[in-house]
Amino acid sequence: MTTITPRILLEAYRAGIFPMAESAEDNALYWVEPEERGYFPLDGLHVSQSLRKLVRQQHFDIRVDTDFAAVIAGCAEQRPERRSTWINGRIRKLYGQLHDMGACHSVEAWHEGALAGGLYGVKIGAAVFGESMFTRVSGASKVALVHLVARLNFGGFRMLDAQFMNAHIATLGARPMKKAEFMALLPAAVKAHGDFFAFMGDDDPAEVLQWALPGK
């Protein structure tokens, strides 16, 4: 079994690759280097009127890094529409270690005192590599994404990678990007400085939408 340490994992992200498992029950990991990535232009998020309403009404209490373990557990849990995931025990341990190092963050949507949804991703320089998101209450992960993009724009980030395209993230503004184009952008993004904690406006919906939708 290949030994993957947090430091090796960060170097892999800098090289455009990341690990996955066949399933949550399989403890083996393999490296992935997609020929086509999912990619969120930080000035191109699509926010529907209903999603804007959820943000404005502050339906969810947004928190950052208050329960990373619960977020990755939520992303790994089975649901009726998804019987298994690629997040196994080794993934949970490795990314928990990255979180302890300050290199992996969670954006959490809480509702009535319970974790309703959220997302997590790896942060290197001015790039964030989105790993997974989950929802228990309708709209929770989408609101978390809006807050994430506001935070990245405010903090001077250059890249939000989504790894793979799918129909869900396409509705939110993600677009496909060929490997060559992604690799041309990656070195400068990971070397630049992005401040993940500069944004302090999570309790101000107008500021969140302003920074999530620059120029709109």
Side-chain angles (χ1 to χ4, degrees), residues 21-27 76 78 83-90:
E22 289 291 348
S23 71
E25 295 75 32
D26 186 347
N27 204 40
Q78 294 184 354
R83 302 307 303 174
S84 184
T85 78
W86 53 269
I87 301 173
N88 65 9
R90 290 179 73 196

Side-chain angles (χ1 to χ4, degrees), residues 7-83:
R7 297 292 180 188
I8 290 174
L9 192 52
L10 292 176
E11 289 305 312
Y13 276 92
R14 290 187 181 98
I17 62 177
F18 52 89
M20 293 186 72
E22 289 291 348
S23 71
E25 295 75 32
D26 186 347
N27 204 40
L29 298 179
Y30 62 94
W31 293 111
V32 181
E33 188 176 12
E35 290 299 318
E36 182 179 87
R37 312 282 292 222
Y39 182 88
F40 277 101
L42 290 174
D43 61 352
L45 188 68
H46 293 173
V47 182
S48 66
Q49 289 301 316
S50 60
L51 181 52
R52 292 182 195 218
K53 184 176 180 181
L54 276 179
V55 174
R56 291 192 182 106
Q57 291 180 336
Q58 295 180 287
H59 189 70
F60 299 102
D61 174 25
I62 301 299
R63 308 175 192 175
V64 174
D65 285 351
T66 66
D67 201 339
F68 180 86
V71 170
I72 197 169
C75 291
E77 68 189 10
Q78 294 184 354
R79 296 190 291 275
E81 72 278 11
R82 188 177 68 180
R83 302 307 303 174

Side-chain angles (χ1 to χ4, degrees), residues 61-72 99-100 104-111 113-120 134 151 196-197 202:
D61 174 25
I62 301 299
R63 308 175 192 175
V64 174
D65 285 351
T66 66
D67 201 339
F68 180 86
V71 170
I72 197 169
H99 172 69
D100 292 341
C104 196
H105 301 289
S106 60
V107 179
E108 308 151 9
W110 293 75
H111 182 63
L115 183 61
L119 53 84
Y120 75 98
F134 79 102
R151 182 172 293 270
F196 195 80
F197 294 101
D202 284 318

Side-chain angles (χ1 to χ4, degrees), residues 141-156:
S141 65
K142 293 181 180 180
V143 172
L145 177 64
V146 173
H147 280 256
L148 172 65
V149 172
R151 182 172 293 270
L152 299 188
N153 280 320
F154 189 92

Side-chain angles (χ1 to χ4, degrees), residues 6 18 50 99 126 129 131 133 150 158 164 191 195 211 216:
F18 52 89
S50 60
H99 172 69
F129 304 87
E131 285 296 314
M133 60 172 59
R158 299 187 182 188
F164 299 107
K191 291 176 182 176
D195 188 342
W211 285 100
K216 296 183 180 179

Side-chain angles (χ1 to χ4, degrees), residues 103-192:
C104 196
H105 301 289
S106 60
V107 179
E108 308 151 9
W110 293 75
H111 182 63
E112 297 180 348
L115 183 61
L119 53 84
Y120 75 98
V122 175
K123 184 264 187 193
I124 303 175
V128 165
F129 304 87
E131 285 296 314
S132 188
M133 60 172 59
F134 79 102
T135 294
R136 292 176 182 146
V137 177
S138 180
S141 65
K142 293 181 180 180
V143 172
L145 177 64
V146 173
H147 280 256
L148 172 65
V149 172
R151 182 172 293 270
L152 299 188
N153 280 320
F154 189 92
F157 283 78
R158 299 187 182 188
M159 175 179 285
L160 176 54
D161 174 43
Q163 298 183 341
F164 299 107
M165 277 300 299
N166 60 52
H168 173 64
I169 66 172
T171 66
L172 296 167
R175 66 177 182 86
M177 178 179 282
K178 295 298 184 183
K179 176 182 172 181
E181 184 182 358
F182 179 82
M183 292 304 298
L185 298 174
L186 181 61
V190 297
K191 291 176 182 176

